[in-house]
Amino acid sequence: WHDTPEGALAAAGLALAERQIGRARGWRLAALHATPPGTRPVLEAEGAAPDALGRPLPEPLLPVAACAGRLRHWPLDPAAGMAGMSVLDGRISTVGAAHPICRVRLHGVTDPALAAAFTAGLDLALAPETLAAAALGLAGRSVPAGAPPAVAEGQSISAALAALLARETAVLVRLAPLAASGTGTEPVHQMRVALRRLRSALTLFRRAIDDAALQALRPELKQLAQLLGPARDWDVFAAGTGAAVATALPEDRAIVRLLAAATRRRAESYAALAAHLHGPAFRGLCLRLAWLAAQRPWERPDDPAQARPLAEFAARELARRRARVRARGADLTTLPADALHALRIEVKRLRYACEFFAPLFPARAVRRLIRRTSAVQERLGHINDGTVAAGLLAALGGPARGYAAGVVTGFVAAERQRAAARADRAWRRLRHAAPFWT
């Protein structure tokens, strides 16, 4: 791979590779990132030499990293759903480092379940980055993040859903190793957000695209949510309510014991999550998501539901979600905890829909409504944190923790009162916000 000393090509999202396979030599200019993950990056140009690529290149170009290895091909049975397999087994080398690499590519896959079954017994995962991006990263080069696929004006409904699936799948694939390591809380949080956005997108588009392959993902997505949820809940408790109580009562031994028990439960939740993320079920899920985003098997251009203009579809779905939110009533102070939790979910779905379709409408009006939905979601989240904390305390159990649990419960109750007042004010502003899609 070649680039300028300043990394001009990488900054432009491009990778220039000098390739030799057998006796064949050539140059390829391709996208640095692939969308969705695991697919081939878009080829911009190729030729026998850099000046044969048909486009100007920055200067001076220097070699940055190399990959040498053995590339083997096996033909498979296209009638069975897979045309072939290639395996690259080698090593990425830079001036100061070397790293073994093994990439497997499946060709002509017509059934994602077959690919998942094929790799179930092997420790293979969807590549979170292209070989070029991995090589530049090993060389210590700055690798800018790829522009996430997004809904765009002029897209079909089918293409819009594919873009959203590709974006959230990329987040899941990239963060899974970090979340499994348990070294920080943010990867789990961001994975959970990406998963919620993905599930929300499937629901949002269901009136236009009710595809069996998409709906078949729901049980696996739910299973992942059930593993991410406890890990995130214990993180929030440890960093939020638990930390606040420990700060207020630093020498209370009962509180110290309670937090130690919570830390053990957090470790157990992370261990269960890591086992799942390293297992065949998660690998298969990511393979199917990437395949669906790339192939769009649901696409029916002659289907009236899919043939509608995207902006028209977006306006109807946004109006429907806004109506569901407003139907909860004008006064939050009278709603019980379960109703507030349900409202928070509806507000979150409205916010996701606004974010999904933002490029189709005036930016300023979109940002205003997103800010108001975010404010309500955040304040209701503070209330929900108290409800979650109560559930976590019940899960810890043990009569010896009764006093400590009582202290935490009292702290949560006091915070809930303040959060409820702030949430009601934010809710009134949201209810009076004008829709931007009319």
Side-chain angles (χ1 to χ4, degrees):
W1 289 276
H2 297 252
D3 205 342
T4 66
E6 299 79 19
L9 287 173
L14 297 172
L16 177 63
E18 179 185 5
R19 306 176 78 228
Q20 178 176 350
I21 301 178
R23 295 184 178 181
R25 299 177 66 92
W27 290 72
R28 291 167 60 96
L29 185 67
L32 181 58
H33 301 285
T35 302
T39 59
R40 286 186 180 276
V42 174
L43 178 64
E44 300 288 340
E46 60 181 337
D51 57 7
L53 296 177
R55 57 184 295 172
L57 297 172
E59 294 182 348
L61 288 172
L62 304 171
V64 176
C67 178
R70 185 178 183 186
L71 180 63
R72 289 170 286 181
H73 303 278
W74 288 270
L76 299 175
D77 184 3
M82 198 181 304
M85 178 180 73
S86 302
V87 176
L88 171 62
D89 184 15
R91 182 178 297 272
I92 295 176
S93 302
T94 68
V95 173
H99 186 73
I101 192 76
C102 182
R103 294 286 174 110
V104 178
R105 185 175 297 280
L106 303 178
H107 307 277
V109 178
T110 59
D111 183 358
L114 179 62
F118 185 82
T119 60
L122 305 173
D123 189 12
L124 295 175
L126 204 62
E129 58 186 356
T130 63
L131 197 59
L136 293 180
L138 185 66
R141 291 299 187 102
S142 174
V143 181
V151 169
E153 191 172 352
Q155 274 183 335
S156 67
I157 293 175
S158 172
L161 175 58
L164 295 175
L165 289 185
R167 181 174 66 185
E168 306 311 331
T169 300
V171 175
L172 293 177
V173 171
R174 176 174 58 85
L175 292 179
L178 300 174
S181 70
T183 54
T185 63
E186 193 62 18
V188 168
H189 173 53
Q190 294 301 328
M191 275 194 77
R192 197 181 186 195
V193 171
L195 181 62
R196 285 173 167 173
R197 290 170 60 90
L198 198 157
R199 297 174 76 184
S200 184
L202 293 181
T203 301
L204 182 66
F205 281 78
R206 191 167 184 173
R207 282 183 171 79
I209 301 174
D210 191 10
D211 184 75
L214 290 174
Q215 303 312 321
L217 296 172
R218 290 183 177 277
E220 293 175 77
L221 296 175
K222 183 178 180 180
Q223 180 187 20
L224 179 57
Q226 290 171 338
L227 289 165
L228 286 167
R232 177 59 183 167
D233 289 344
W234 285 115
D235 281 341
V236 171
F237 179 81
T241 304
V245 173
T247 300
L249 301 169
E251 298 181 3
D252 192 314
R253 304 182 105 185
I255 298 297
V256 171
R257 288 193 297 270
L258 178 72
L259 295 181
T263 300
R264 290 192 294 272
R265 284 299 184 95
R266 177 188 180 275
E268 292 169 3
S269 297
Y270 265 82
L273 175 61
H276 181 75
L277 296 180
H278 286 308
F282 179 73
R283 296 198 301 266
L285 172 63
C286 292
L287 279 169
R288 284 192 292 277
L289 283 168
W291 186 91
L292 289 167
Q295 299 297 322
R296 305 184 206 169
W298 59 76
E299 198 161 62
R300 306 286 186 273
D302 56 344
D303 183 348
Q306 294 189 27
R308 284 178 293 165
L310 180 59
E312 175 189 318
F313 170 77
R316 289 186 180 182
E317 293 304 318
L318 286 165
R320 184 176 287 111
R321 290 205 167 186
R322 179 173 182 264
R324 289 177 64 91
V325 167
R326 288 172 60 83
R328 297 287 172 173
D331 186 3
L332 294 190
T333 59
T334 62
L335 296 180
D338 57 345
L340 290 175
H341 179 60
L343 173 61
R344 179 170 174 258
I345 292 174
E346 295 293 349
V347 171
K348 189 182 304 180
R349 288 172 177 169
L350 174 59
R351 175 191 167 191
Y352 290 158
C354 291
E355 292 172 342
F356 292 158
F357 295 129
L360 307 178
F361 301 98
R364 185 175 180 180
V366 174
R367 287 196 299 268
R368 184 185 303 115
L369 188 56
I370 288 176
R371 283 197 302 269
R372 295 192 181 189
T373 56
S374 298
V376 174
Q377 181 185 338
E378 179 182 358
R379 286 156 176 77
L380 290 177
H382 293 157
I383 297 174
N384 187 63
D385 288 346
T387 303
V388 171
L392 297 178
L393 291 173
L396 288 177
R401 301 197 183 103
Y403 159 74
V407 171
V408 174
T409 300
F411 182 88
V412 165
E415 286 295 306
R416 177 187 172 88
Q417 289 183 342
R418 289 190 289 267
R422 292 192 295 266
D424 190 59
R425 289 194 295 270
W427 171 242
R428 294 178 188 279
R429 287 193 292 270
L430 175 59
R431 280 184 57 84
H432 289 101
F436 57 77
W437 53 86
T438 56

